Amino acid sequence: MMNMDDDHKEKYTKLKKRIRDIERENDFLHVRIHKARKSVRRLRLERTFLLDRIEKINHHYSVDESEDEVHSDQEHTIIPVTSSNHSSKTIKPKKKKDPNAPKGPGNVFFLFCRLQRDKIKDEHPEERSLGEVTKLLSAKWKGLDKEEKKVYQDMYQKELEEYEVAMKSYNSSNNPHAMDEDVISSSAAPSPAP
């Protein structure tokens, strides 16, 4: 009976420690969110200030031009003043991606990261941030020789072939005329970077 109580106490202390760690991390995230919101407010104020200045400069410029034109005996032309709410560039809407479409394999390094991330996290439990883990993965990748990288390149090629097959079947099921496009795009597809 004593052994069972000791196990429960040990689990209890581990869970309590984990809760404290999560609470600390939450506090840290709250501080970061607060700072981010503060920065966003400051940037919005700066943006408003700059847009007002631009509008004043454009208005002043258009008034000066119109006065010059009035004094000269030339034809009157109206200089359009662009409002701060409208930009002169036309923004094309982004093409929405289908969430059901097959996902591409990325590149060889991403494949390496995906396969090694949990191992690195186990080897370095003190590194919690994604950036630190990625730095460690990058260092490990740079330390691999050509034969070790070749293994990952072969896996990448296999995943790329599977992705192309999946895309062909996806396109043919969604668009009956897509088979002609698939043949053209697969023949013109670039080779992956090593």
CSV table of all heavy atoms in Angstrom, one decimal, residues 76-122:
chain,number,residue,atom,x,y,z
A,76,HIS,N,-7.3,75.1,-68.1
A,76,HIS,CA,-7.4,74.6,-66.7
A,76,HIS,C,-7.5,73.1,-66.7
A,76,HIS,O,-8.4,72.6,-67.3
A,76,HIS,CB,-8.7,75.2,-66.0
A,76,HIS,CG,-8.6,76.7,-65.8
A,76,HIS,ND1,-7.8,77.2,-64.8
A,76,HIS,CD2,-9.1,77.8,-66.4
A,76,HIS,CE1,-7.9,78.5,-64.8
A,76,HIS,NE2,-8.7,78.9,-65.8
A,77,THR,N,-6.7,72.5,-65.9
A,77,THR,CA,-6.8,71.1,-65.6
A,77,THR,C,-6.9,70.8,-64.2
A,77,THR,O,-6.4,71.5,-63.3
A,77,THR,CB,-5.5,70.4,-66.1
A,77,THR,OG1,-4.4,70.9,-65.5
A,77,THR,CG2,-5.4,70.5,-67.6
A,78,ILE,N,-7.7,69.8,-63.8
A,78,ILE,CA,-7.9,69.5,-62.4
A,78,ILE,C,-6.9,68.4,-62.1
A,78,ILE,O,-6.8,67.4,-62.8
A,78,ILE,CB,-9.3,69.0,-62.2
A,78,ILE,CG1,-10.3,70.1,-62.6
A,78,ILE,CG2,-9.5,68.5,-60.8
A,78,ILE,CD1,-11.8,69.7,-62.6
A,79,ILE,N,-6.2,68.6,-61.0
A,79,ILE,CA,-5.3,67.6,-60.5
A,79,ILE,C,-6.0,66.8,-59.5
A,79,ILE,O,-6.4,67.3,-58.4
A,79,ILE,CB,-4.0,68.3,-59.9
A,79,ILE,CG1,-3.3,69.1,-61.0
A,79,ILE,CG2,-3.1,67.2,-59.3
A,79,ILE,CD1,-2.2,69.9,-60.4
A,80,PRO,N,-6.1,65.5,-59.7
A,80,PRO,CA,-6.8,64.7,-58.7
A,80,PRO,C,-6.0,64.5,-57.5
A,80,PRO,O,-4.8,64.3,-57.5
A,80,PRO,CB,-7.0,63.3,-59.4
A,80,PRO,CG,-6.0,63.3,-60.5
A,80,PRO,CD,-5.7,64.7,-60.8
A,81,VAL,N,-6.6,64.7,-56.3
A,81,VAL,CA,-5.9,64.5,-55.1
A,81,VAL,C,-6.4,63.1,-54.5
A,81,VAL,O,-7.6,62.9,-54.4
A,81,VAL,CB,-6.3,65.6,-54.0
A,81,VAL,CG1,-5.7,65.3,-52.7
A,81,VAL,CG2,-5.9,66.9,-54.6
A,82,THR,N,-5.5,62.3,-54.3
A,82,THR,CA,-5.8,61.0,-53.8
A,82,THR,C,-6.1,61.0,-52.4
A,82,THR,O,-5.4,61.6,-51.6
A,82,THR,CB,-4.7,59.9,-54.1
A,82,THR,OG1,-3.5,60.4,-53.5
A,82,THR,CG2,-4.5,59.7,-55.6
A,83,SER,N,-7.2,60.4,-52.0
A,83,SER,CA,-7.6,60.4,-50.6
A,83,SER,C,-6.7,59.4,-49.9
A,83,SER,O,-6.2,58.4,-50.4
A,83,SER,CB,-9.0,59.9,-50.5
A,83,SER,OG,-9.3,59.3,-49.3
A,84,SER,N,-6.6,59.5,-48.6
A,84,SER,CA,-5.7,58.6,-47.8
A,84,SER,C,-6.4,57.3,-47.6
A,84,SER,O,-5.7,56.3,-47.3
A,84,SER,CB,-5.5,59.2,-46.4
A,84,SER,OG,-6.7,59.4,-45.7
A,85,ASN,N,-7.7,57.2,-47.9
A,85,ASN,CA,-8.4,55.9,-47.8
A,85,ASN,C,-8.2,55.0,-49.0
A,85,ASN,O,-8.4,53.8,-49.0
A,85,ASN,CB,-9.8,56.1,-47.5
A,85,ASN,CG,-10.1,56.8,-46.2
A,85,ASN,OD1,-9.2,56.7,-45.3
A,85,ASN,ND2,-11.2,57.5,-46.1
A,86,HIS,N,-7.9,55.6,-50.2
A,86,HIS,CA,-7.8,54.8,-51.4
A,86,HIS,C,-6.4,54.9,-51.9
A,86,HIS,O,-5.8,55.9,-52.0
A,86,HIS,CB,-8.7,55.4,-52.4
A,86,HIS,CG,-10.2,55.4,-52.0
A,86,HIS,ND1,-10.9,54.3,-51.8
A,86,HIS,CD2,-11.0,56.5,-51.7
A,86,HIS,CE1,-12.1,54.6,-51.4
A,86,HIS,NE2,-12.2,55.9,-51.3
A,87,SER,N,-5.9,53.7,-52.3
A,87,SER,CA,-4.5,53.7,-52.9
A,87,SER,C,-4.7,53.7,-54.4
A,87,SER,O,-5.7,53.3,-55.0
A,87,SER,CB,-3.8,52.5,-52.4
A,87,SER,OG,-4.4,51.3,-52.9
A,88,SER,N,-3.6,54.1,-55.1
A,88,SER,CA,-3.7,54.2,-56.5
A,88,SER,C,-3.4,52.8,-57.2
A,88,SER,O,-3.7,52.6,-58.3
A,88,SER,CB,-2.6,55.2,-57.1
A,88,SER,OG,-1.3,54.7,-56.6
A,89,LYS,N,-2.9,51.9,-56.4
A,89,LYS,CA,-2.7,50.5,-56.9
A,89,LYS,C,-3.9,49.7,-56.7
A,89,LYS,O,-4.6,49.8,-55.8
A,89,LYS,CB,-1.5,49.9,-56.1
A,89,LYS,CG,-0.2,50.5,-56.3
A,89,LYS,CD,0.9,49.8,-55.6
A,89,LYS,CE,2.2,50.4,-55.7
A,89,LYS,NZ,3.3,49.7,-55.0
A,90,THR,N,-4.2,48.9,-57.7
A,90,THR,CA,-5.3,47.9,-57.6
A,90,THR,C,-4.7,46.6,-57.0
A,90,THR,O,-3.7,46.1,-57.5
A,90,THR,CB,-5.9,47.7,-59.0
A,90,THR,OG1,-4.9,47.2,-59.9
A,90,THR,CG2,-6.6,48.9,-59.5
A,91,ILE,N,-5.4,46.2,-56.0
A,91,ILE,CA,-4.9,44.9,-55.3
A,91,ILE,C,-5.8,43.8,-55.9
A,91,ILE,O,-7.0,43.8,-55.8
A,91,ILE,CB,-5.1,45.1,-53.8
A,91,ILE,CG1,-4.2,46.2,-53.3
A,91,ILE,CG2,-4.7,43.8,-53.1
A,91,ILE,CD1,-4.5,46.6,-51.9
A,92,LYS,N,-5.1,42.8,-56.4
A,92,LYS,CA,-5.8,41.6,-56.9
A,92,LYS,C,-6.1,40.7,-55.7
A,92,LYS,O,-5.2,40.5,-54.9
A,92,LYS,CB,-4.9,40.9,-57.9
A,92,LYS,CG,-4.7,41.7,-59.2
A,92,LYS,CD,-3.8,40.9,-60.1
A,92,LYS,CE,-3.5,41.7,-61.4
A,92,LYS,NZ,-2.7,41.0,-62.3
A,93,PRO,N,-7.3,40.1,-55.6
A,93,PRO,CA,-7.6,39.2,-54.5
A,93,PRO,C,-6.8,37.9,-54.7
A,93,PRO,O,-6.5,37.5,-55.8
A,93,PRO,CB,-9.1,39.0,-54.7
A,93,PRO,CG,-9.4,39.3,-56.1
A,93,PRO,CD,-8.4,40.3,-56.5
A,94,LYS,N,-6.4,37.4,-53.5
A,94,LYS,CA,-5.6,36.2,-53.6
A,94,LYS,C,-6.5,35.0,-53.9
A,94,LYS,O,-7.7,35.0,-53.6
A,94,LYS,CB,-5.0,35.9,-52.2
A,94,LYS,CG,-3.8,36.8,-51.8
A,94,LYS,CD,-3.2,36.3,-50.6
A,94,LYS,CE,-2.0,37.1,-50.2
A,94,LYS,NZ,-1.3,36.6,-49.0
A,95,LYS,N,-5.9,34.1,-54.7
A,95,LYS,CA,-6.7,32.9,-55.1
A,95,LYS,C,-6.8,32.0,-53.8
A,95,LYS,O,-5.7,31.7,-53.2
A,95,LYS,CB,-6.0,32.2,-56.2
A,95,LYS,CG,-6.8,31.1,-56.8
A,95,LYS,CD,-6.0,30.5,-58.0
A,95,LYS,CE,-6.9,29.4,-58.7
A,95,LYS,NZ,-6.2,28.9,-59.8
A,96,LYS,N,-8.0,31.6,-53.4
A,96,LYS,CA,-8.1,30.8,-52.3
A,96,LYS,C,-7.7,29.4,-52.5
A,96,LYS,O,-8.0,28.8,-53.6
A,96,LYS,CB,-9.6,30.9,-51.8
A,96,LYS,CG,-10.0,32.2,-51.3
A,96,LYS,CD,-11.4,32.2,-50.7
A,96,LYS,CE,-11.7,33.5,-50.1
A,96,LYS,NZ,-13.0,33.6,-49.5
A,97,LYS,N,-7.0,28.8,-51.6
A,97,LYS,CA,-6.5,27.4,-51.7
A,97,LYS,C,-7.6,26.5,-51.2
A,97,LYS,O,-8.3,26.8,-50.2
A,97,LYS,CB,-5.3,27.2,-50.9
A,97,LYS,CG,-4.1,27.9,-51.5
A,97,LYS,CD,-2.8,27.6,-50.7
A,97,LYS,CE,-1.6,28.4,-51.3
A,97,LYS,NZ,-0.4,28.1,-50.5
A,98,ASP,N,-7.8,25.4,-51.9
A,98,ASP,CA,-8.7,24.4,-51.4
A,98,ASP,C,-8.1,23.6,-50.2
A,98,ASP,O,-7.0,23.1,-50.4
A,98,ASP,CB,-9.0,23.4,-52.6
A,98,ASP,CG,-10.1,22.4,-52.2
A,98,ASP,OD1,-10.6,22.5,-51.1
A,98,ASP,OD2,-10.4,21.6,-53.1
A,99,PRO,N,-8.8,23.6,-49.1
A,99,PRO,CA,-8.2,22.9,-47.9
A,99,PRO,C,-8.2,21.4,-48.2
A,99,PRO,O,-7.4,20.7,-47.5
A,99,PRO,CB,-9.2,23.2,-46.8
A,99,PRO,CG,-10.4,23.7,-47.4
A,99,PRO,CD,-10.1,24.3,-48.8
A,100,ASN,N,-8.9,20.9,-49.1
A,100,ASN,CA,-8.9,19.4,-49.4
A,100,ASN,C,-7.8,19.0,-50.4
A,100,ASN,O,-7.6,17.9,-50.6
A,100,ASN,CB,-10.2,19.0,-50.0
A,100,ASN,CG,-11.4,19.3,-49.0
A,100,ASN,OD1,-11.2,19.1,-47.8
A,100,ASN,ND2,-12.5,19.6,-49.5
A,101,ALA,N,-7.1,20.0,-50.9
A,101,ALA,CA,-6.0,19.7,-51.9
A,101,ALA,C,-4.9,19.1,-51.2
A,101,ALA,O,-4.6,19.4,-50.0
A,101,ALA,CB,-5.6,21.0,-52.6
A,102,PRO,N,-4.2,18.2,-51.9
A,102,PRO,CA,-3.0,17.5,-51.2
A,102,PRO,C,-1.9,18.5,-50.9
A,102,PRO,O,-1.7,19.5,-51.6
A,102,PRO,CB,-2.5,16.5,-52.3
A,102,PRO,CG,-3.6,16.4,-53.3
A,102,PRO,CD,-4.4,17.6,-53.2
A,103,LYS,N,-1.2,18.3,-49.8
A,103,LYS,CA,-0.2,19.2,-49.4
A,103,LYS,C,1.2,18.8,-50.0
A,103,LYS,O,1.5,17.6,-50.0
A,103,LYS,CB,0.0,19.3,-47.9
A,103,LYS,CG,-1.3,19.6,-47.1
A,103,LYS,CD,-1.7,21.0,-47.3
A,103,LYS,CE,-2.8,21.4,-46.5
A,103,LYS,NZ,-4.1,21.5,-47.2
A,104,GLY,N,1.9,19.8,-50.5
A,104,GLY,CA,3.3,19.5,-51.0
A,104,GLY,C,4.3,19.1,-50.0
A,104,GLY,O,4.1,19.4,-48.8
A,105,PRO,N,5.3,18.4,-50.3
A,105,PRO,CA,6.3,18.0,-49.4
A,105,PRO,C,7.3,19.0,-48.9
A,105,PRO,O,8.1,18.8,-48.0
A,105,PRO,CB,7.1,16.9,-50.1
A,105,PRO,CG,7.0,17.2,-51.5
A,105,PRO,CD,5.6,17.9,-51.7
A,106,GLY,N,7.2,20.3,-49.4
A,106,GLY,CA,8.1,21.3,-48.9
A,106,GLY,C,9.5,21.2,-49.6
A,106,GLY,O,9.6,21.2,-50.8
A,107,ASN,N,10.5,21.0,-48.8
A,107,ASN,CA,11.8,20.7,-49.3
A,107,ASN,C,12.5,19.7,-48.5
A,107,ASN,O,12.0,19.2,-47.5
A,107,ASN,CB,12.6,22.0,-49.5
A,107,ASN,CG,12.9,22.7,-48.2
A,107,ASN,OD1,13.1,22.1,-47.2
A,107,ASN,ND2,13.0,24.0,-48.3
A,108,VAL,N,13.8,19.3,-48.8
A,108,VAL,CA,14.5,18.3,-48.1
A,108,VAL,C,14.7,18.7,-46.6
A,108,VAL,O,14.6,17.8,-45.7
A,108,VAL,CB,15.8,18.0,-48.8
A,108,VAL,CG1,16.6,16.9,-48.1
A,108,VAL,CG2,15.6,17.6,-50.3
A,109,PHE,N,15.1,19.9,-46.4
A,109,PHE,CA,15.3,20.3,-45.0
A,109,PHE,C,14.1,20.3,-44.2
A,109,PHE,O,14.1,19.8,-43.0
A,109,PHE,CB,15.9,21.8,-45.0
A,109,PHE,CG,16.1,22.3,-43.6
A,109,PHE,CD1,17.1,21.8,-42.8
A,109,PHE,CD2,15.4,23.3,-43.1
A,109,PHE,CE1,17.3,22.2,-41.5
A,109,PHE,CE2,15.6,23.8,-41.9
A,109,PHE,CZ,16.5,23.3,-41.0
A,110,PHE,N,12.9,20.6,-44.7
A,110,PHE,CA,11.7,20.6,-44.0
A,110,PHE,C,11.4,19.1,-43.6
A,110,PHE,O,10.9,18.8,-42.6
A,110,PHE,CB,10.5,21.2,-44.7
A,110,PHE,CG,10.6,22.7,-44.8
A,110,PHE,CD1,10.0,23.4,-45.8
A,110,PHE,CD2,11.3,23.4,-43.9
A,110,PHE,CE1,10.1,24.8,-45.9
A,110,PHE,CE2,11.4,24.8,-43.9
A,110,PHE,CZ,10.8,25.5,-45.0
A,111,LEU,N,11.6,18.2,-44.6
A,111,LEU,CA,11.4,16.8,-44.3
A,111,LEU,C,12.3,16.3,-43.2
A,111,LEU,O,11.8,15.7,-42.2
A,111,LEU,CB,11.7,16.0,-45.6
A,111,LEU,CG,11.7,14.5,-45.4
A,111,LEU,CD1,10.3,14.0,-45.2
A,111,LEU,CD2,12.3,13.8,-46.7
A,112,PHE,N,13.6,16.7,-43.2
A,112,PHE,CA,14.5,16.4,-42.1
A,112,PHE,C,14.0,16.9,-40.8
A,112,PHE,O,14.0,16.2,-39.8
A,112,PHE,CB,15.9,17.0,-42.4
A,112,PHE,CG,16.9,16.9,-41.3
A,112,PHE,CD1,17.5,15.7,-41.0
A,112,PHE,CD2,17.2,18.0,-40.6
A,112,PHE,CE1,18.4,15.6,-40.0
A,112,PHE,CE2,18.1,18.0,-39.5
A,112,PHE,CZ,18.7,16.8,-39.2
A,113,CYS,N,13.5,18.2,-40.8
A,113,CYS,CA,13.0,18.8,-39.5
A,113,CYS,C,11.8,18.0,-39.0
A,113,CYS,O,11.7,17.8,-37.8
A,113,CYS,CB,12.6,20.3,-39.8
A,113,CYS,SG,14.1,21.3,-40.0
A,114,ARG,N,10.9,17.7,-39.9
A,114,ARG,CA,9.7,17.0,-39.5
A,114,ARG,C,10.0,15.6,-38.8
A,114,ARG,O,9.4,15.3,-37.9
A,114,ARG,CB,8.8,16.8,-40.7
A,114,ARG,CG,7.4,16.3,-40.4
A,114,ARG,CD,6.6,16.2,-41.6
A,114,ARG,NE,7.1,15.2,-42.5
A,114,ARG,CZ,7.1,15.3,-43.9
A,114,ARG,NH1,6.6,16.4,-44.4
A,114,ARG,NH2,7.5,14.3,-44.6
A,115,LEU,N,11.0,15.0,-39.4
A,115,LEU,CA,11.4,13.6,-38.9
A,115,LEU,C,12.3,13.7,-37.6
A,115,LEU,O,12.2,12.8,-36.8
A,115,LEU,CB,12.1,12.8,-40.0
A,115,LEU,CG,11.3,12.5,-41.2
A,115,LEU,CD1,12.2,11.9,-42.3
A,115,LEU,CD2,10.1,11.6,-40.9
A,116,GLN,N,13.0,14.8,-37.5
A,116,GLN,CA,14.0,14.9,-36.3
A,116,GLN,C,13.5,15.8,-35.2
A,116,GLN,O,14.2,15.8,-34.2
A,116,GLN,CB,15.3,15.4,-36.9
A,116,GLN,CG,16.0,14.4,-37.8
A,116,GLN,CD,16.5,13.1,-37.1
A,116,GLN,OE1,16.9,13.2,-36.0
A,116,GLN,NE2,16.3,12.0,-37.8
A,117,ARG,N,12.5,16.5,-35.4
A,117,ARG,CA,12.1,17.5,-34.4
A,117,ARG,C,11.8,16.9,-33.0
A,117,ARG,O,12.3,17.4,-32.0
A,117,ARG,CB,10.8,18.3,-34.8
A,117,ARG,CG,10.4,19.4,-33.8
A,117,ARG,CD,9.4,20.3,-34.4
A,117,ARG,NE,10.0,21.2,-35.3
A,117,ARG,CZ,9.8,21.3,-36.6
A,117,ARG,NH1,8.9,20.5,-37.2
A,117,ARG,NH2,10.4,22.2,-37.4
A,118,ASP,N,11.1,15.8,-32.9
A,118,ASP,CA,10.8,15.2,-31.6
A,118,ASP,C,12.1,14.7,-31.0
A,118,ASP,O,12.2,14.8,-29.8
A,118,ASP,CB,9.8,14.1,-31.8
A,118,ASP,CG,8.4,14.6,-32.2
A,118,ASP,OD1,8.1,15.7,-31.8
A,118,ASP,OD2,7.6,13.8,-32.8
A,119,LYS,N,13.0,14.1,-31.8
A,119,LYS,CA,14.2,13.6,-31.2
A,119,LYS,C,15.0,14.8,-30.6
A,119,LYS,O,15.6,14.6,-29.5
A,119,LYS,CB,15.0,12.9,-32.3
A,119,LYS,CG,16.2,12.2,-31.9
A,119,LYS,CD,16.9,11.5,-33.0
A,119,LYS,CE,18.2,10.8,-32.6
A,119,LYS,NZ,18.9,10.2,-33.7
A,120,ILE,N,15.1,15.9,-31.3
A,120,ILE,CA,15.9,17.1,-30.8
A,120,ILE,C,15.2,17.6,-29.5
A,120,ILE,O,15.9,18.0,-28.6
A,120,ILE,CB,15.9,18.2,-31.9
A,120,ILE,CG1,16.8,17.8,-33.0
A,120,ILE,CG2,16.4,19.5,-31.3
A,120,ILE,CD1,18.3,17.7,-32.7
A,121,LYS,N,13.9,17.6,-29.5
A,121,LYS,CA,13.2,18.1,-28.3
A,121,LYS,C,13.4,17.2,-27.1
A,121,LYS,O,13.6,17.6,-26.0
A,121,LYS,CB,11.7,18.2,-28.6
A,121,LYS,CG,11.2,19.3,-29.4
A,121,LYS,CD,9.7,19.4,-29.5
A,121,LYS,CE,9.3,20.6,-30.3
A,121,LYS,NZ,7.8,20.6,-30.5
A,122,ASP,N,13.6,15.9,-27.4
A,122,ASP,CA,13.9,14.9,-26.3
A,122,ASP,C,15.3,15.1,-25.8
A,122,ASP,O,15.6,15.0,-24.6
A,122,ASP,CB,13.6,13.5,-26.7
A,122,ASP,CG,12.2,13.2,-26.9
A,122,ASP,OD1,11.3,13.9,-26.4
A,122,ASP,OD2,11.9,12.2,-27.6
